[in-house]
Amino acid sequence: MDIHLLKSVTKLFSKKRKIILIPHSSPDADAIGSCLALYHFFKSNNEVNIISPNEYTDILNFLPGSRNILIYENDKLICENVFKKSDVIFTLDFNTLGRAKNLSSLISNSNAKTIMIDHHENPDKYADITISNSKMSSTCEMVYDFICLINKSKIDNKIATCIYTGIVADTGSFRFPSTTSKTLKVGSELINYGVNVTKIFEKLHNNFQFDRLKLLGSTINNFKKIDGLPVVYTSITDNDQKINNFKKGDSEGFVNFGLSVTDILCSVLFIEKKDEGLIKISFRSRGDFKVNIFASKYFNGGGHKYASGGISNLSLKETEKKFISDITQYINQNYE
Ligand code: 5GP
Ligand code: MN
């Protein structure tokens, strides 16, 4: 953060503020961790609320303060009243207002000062203060830097736990290419606040129902390889979800299994969302294959170089067919 940014942020918080912290829709550990870390950081001197556009996985309920998160989808009136009196809005872990789904217009129509903290490429210019760095492992790592600049002495075990969880989740436990020596240094400093590394790993990865294990089995069994291309894909149908009591977050990480195969550069997961009438797509890649450009060009999505998402309004079968044709064209045009 440069000196001008620091000055404006310091001035902004020199008096008591009514702050809203907003993660992207269907928030993950990085988004929720960022919100909760800032919640604990600001709450002694300010009025602070966290409003998520919709529900998130109950896996994250172990994070301190999570019971204070308001869900807009479930409590519209309460949330709209919070918006009316707010004077600062943080948008966390997203860089285009559309990712806040049903909260987008409340954010853009608000008179509050908006601050974006985010690590995705090519941020939109909707915020009054944009703190954006796509080289960062996670928004949580950026929240750590932000807090250190304003008042490092306020970091405690709760803040450290929330930040550490987001970093661990977004870096695949410090192993994705976005992990730098500084990321590890931040992790190491957080452990000095008494963060329970084993408990966080257990809560994130070994905390599921038996149904989810069976769903993982069928998703892996379903993987198909596209002839002649370093690409695999799989899907989870509405029926797969029904028979395995699918809950939000259950499919987290499934797509990564495709990249466990030698020479596969791209793995894709299609999830049928019958209630929303669309297919949610997860893209993962490695090496030279940048999946965010593909996601934005063909599936109205985007994200990081190696981890992106998108949507399709076609049926699952038609989406898969379109995907095979699009990816063949994309690889032929860009990589051969
Ligand atoms: P996931 O596959 O875990 O849902 O998403 C992976 C990454 O892709 C997210 O961290 C986010 O950056 C991005 N992403 C997911 N869905 C979308 C989407 O619909 N639009 C955009 N622009 N990015 C997405
Ligand atoms: Mn993130």
Side-chain angles (χ1 to χ4, degrees):
M1 208 189 314
D2 69 29
I3 193 75
H4 299 291
L5 213 52
L6 178 60
K7 273 190 186 155
S8 53
V9 169
T10 311
K11 193 167 159 228
L12 187 61
F13 294 108
S14 60
K15 63 181 230 190
K16 184 176 170 171
R17 295 292 182 188
K18 295 191 177 77
I19 302 170
I20 312 182
L21 306 162
I22 301 178
H24 54 77
S25 86
S26 301
D28 58 6
D30 189 30
I32 292 291
S34 301
C35 289
L36 285 169
L38 288 174
Y39 172 80
H40 293 297
F41 177 70
F42 281 121
K43 80 174 189 310
S44 52
N45 314 81
N46 303 273
E47 196 181 315
V48 194
N49 280 287
I50 303 171
I51 302 181
S52 172
N54 57 359
E55 296 272 7
Y56 58 92
T57 166
D58 54 15
I59 294 290
L60 297 176
N61 282 340
F62 77 94
L63 288 173
S66 60
R67 68 181 175 284
N68 298 302
I69 299 174
L70 294 166
I71 308 289
Y72 180 58
E73 219 168 56
N74 301 346
D75 279 312
K76 286 206 167 131
L77 274 180
I78 294 174
C79 294
E80 281 161 14
N81 279 327
V82 173
F83 262 89
K84 277 182 199 145
K85 19 176 230 181
S86 76
D87 48 22
V88 179
I89 295 174
F90 280 86
T91 68
L92 295 159
D93 200 35
F94 63 98
N95 66 7
T96 177
L97 272 185
R99 294 271 286 140
K101 289 269 162 68
N102 48 14
L103 289 180
S104 312
S105 57
L106 283 169
I107 300 170
S108 54
N109 294 331
S110 164
N111 292 323
K113 266 230 177 287
T114 44
I115 304 178
M116 175 209 295
I117 306 184
D118 180 65
H119 67 133
H120 294 92
E121 285 176 14
N122 306 319
D124 283 352
K125 293 209 173 353
Y126 64 82
D128 296 301
I129 297 175
T130 298
I131 304 172
S132 159
N133 185 348
S134 64
K135 294 207 164 60
M136 285 286 178
S137 69
S138 52
T139 301
C140 275
E141 186 179 338
M142 298 177 74
V143 165
Y144 178 80
D145 294 344
F146 179 84
I147 289 177
C148 286
L149 265 173
I150 303 180
N151 188 354
K152 186 171 180 179
S153 70
K154 284 182 82 172
I155 300 183
D156 59 8
N157 179 269
K158 285 182 184 170
I159 293 178
T161 298
C162 296
I163 294 177
Y164 187 89
T165 300
I167 295 178
V168 163
D170 257 30
T171 60
S173 301
F174 301 104
R175 75 182 201 279
F176 294 159
S178 57
T179 307
T180 63
S181 66
K182 193 245 174 189
T183 314
L184 284 159
K185 189 158 166 277
V186 171
S188 144
E189 286 180 17
L190 292 170
I191 291 172
N192 289 332
Y193 292 95
V195 165
N196 189 332
V197 172
T198 308
K199 179 182 155 194
I200 291 174
F201 184 86
E202 287 291 313
K203 290 284 183 190
L204 285 177
H205 299 292
N206 295 336
N207 190 21
F208 298 100
Q209 302 300 309
F210 186 66
D211 292 324
R212 192 254 188 187
L213 186 66
K214 303 301 280 182
L215 181 70
L216 171 63
S218 71
T219 310
I220 290 179
N221 207 26
N222 232 335
F223 263 111
K224 295 175 187 67
K225 189 179 174 314
I226 302 180
D227 262 353
L229 295 184
V231 180
V232 292
Y233 66 94
T234 184
S235 57
I236 298 176
T237 63
D238 184 57
N239 192 44
D240 294 332
Q241 293 164 54
K242 283 196 181 119
I243 58 178
N244 292 300
N245 291 309
F246 185 84
K247 292 201 305 301
K248 210 156 210 156
D250 273 359
S251 59
E252 194 76 39
F254 285 11
V255 63
N256 294 315
F257 283 93
L259 293 181
S260 66
V261 180
T262 312
D263 294 337
I264 291 300
L265 298 181
C266 176
S267 174
V268 181
L269 169 65
F270 301 97
I271 306 179
E272 207 173 16
K273 299 273 177 195
K274 267 265 162 75
D275 46 342
E276 296 170 64
L278 52 80
I279 309 292
K280 179 82 191 82
I281 315 172
S282 285
F283 301 98
R284 297 292 184 274
S285 64
R286 57 180 168 177
D288 288 339
F289 200 96
K290 292 190 187 78
V291 86
N292 52 347
I293 298 168
F294 178 77
S296 109
K297 188 167 176 197
Y298 295 97
F299 288 100
N300 201 19
H304 307 284
K305 202 158 58 170
Y306 297 125
S308 295
I311 53 164
S312 160
N313 296 309
L314 303 172
S315 69
L316 183 59
K317 269 220 158 69
E318 286 166 337
T319 301
E320 288 183 0
K321 222 171 127 190
K322 171 176 152 48
F323 166 71
I324 294 168
S325 143
D326 292 344
I327 197 125
T328 305
Q329 181 189 61
Y330 182 74
I331 289 178
N332 287 340
Q333 281 171 356
N334 294 283
Y335 295 96
E336 281 170 1

